[in-house]
Amino acid sequence: MQQEKLVSVAIDGPSGAGKSTLAKSIAGELGYVYVDTGAIYRTIGYFVRSRGADPGDAESVQRLLPEIHVKMMYSKDGLQHMLLNGADVTEEIRKPEISRCASMVSAHTCVRDFLLEMQREAARRHSVVMDGRDIGTVVLPEADVKIYLTASPEIRARRRCLELEQRGTPQPYEQVLKELRQRDWDDMHREVAPLRVAPDAVTVDTSELDFDGSRQALLRIIREKVGR
Ligand code: DC
């Protein structure tokens, strides 16, 4: 029997654009594996923070890397669990204080190099919907489909507030907006693998779309490109 060709869908964009919820849902619909690469950077940020090291200092972070063993595991419902040296840190890495830490460690070349192969390996083994900041530009430049998902900062901040509320860790809107703008700036202006639109990516702005509208828009783009 001929093996079906593996398909890779890259979804990049700023935080709060709805990437992870949409990517997970689409992966489920298509029967692909969902890879949340932000969670991998969060895991590194979490480790660096728990060691009391400065996430902004490349040398301190690099010294810690040999002590870090990161693994992705999937539960039956498709949820990606992050294992850090054998311990499940899936919940902990979602805490607001880890967001900035993840963004800071992600700016170091040593961290990006450390995680590159692990991400590519996932796409070599499975059809994937992979979301992040540099998937279409650096990690999977040959991806079959590249989508740049965005929305206005205000809309993204509102969505983030709602999400934090539902998690039981509410934060004031103004603070969330300020941190989101800061993180956008950091992610877009770092020297290595900054967040930018790949030349062959389709941009989808979800500011005016609800979840279902966004989902349909993405599925249409993917089906047109891969012809399935
Ligand atoms: O998607 P997220 O908010 O969970 O990502 C956390 C941080 O990790 C984000 O601020 C930037 C970084 N990141 C990255 O640099 N490259 C990726 N492919 C994914 C995330």
Side-chain angles (χ1 to χ4, degrees), residues 75-142:
S75 51
K76 282 212 177 72
D77 58 2
L79 186 73
Q80 176 180 310
H81 285 260
M82 293 309 306
L83 296 186
L84 169 62
N85 297 334
D88 192 326
V89 294
T90 313
E91 290 281 320
E92 287 88 334
I93 59 169
R94 292 293 147 198
K95 297 206 169 121
E97 62 270 24
I98 303 300
S99 300
R100 186 84 207 283
C101 239
S103 183
M104 289 172 86
V105 296
S106 75
H108 306 312
T109 310
C110 58
V111 172
R112 306 206 74 86
D113 289 349
F114 182 67
L115 299 177
L116 187 61
E117 253 322 286
M118 166 180 189
Q119 298 169 80
R120 288 187 174 159
E121 179 65 15
R124 275 195 293 268
R125 285 170 176 264
H126 317 274
S127 285
V128 291
V129 177
M130 191 177 286
D131 83 17
R133 303 293 191 288
D134 63 335
I135 309 307
T137 50
V138 176
V139 179
L140 304 176
E142 307 294 331

Side-chain angles (χ1 to χ4, degrees), residues 157 161 164 169-178:
C161 278
L164 289 168
T169 51
Q171 298 232 326
Y173 169 77
E174 288 305 330
Q175 185 187 330
V176 171
L177 179 62
K178 188 168 159 247

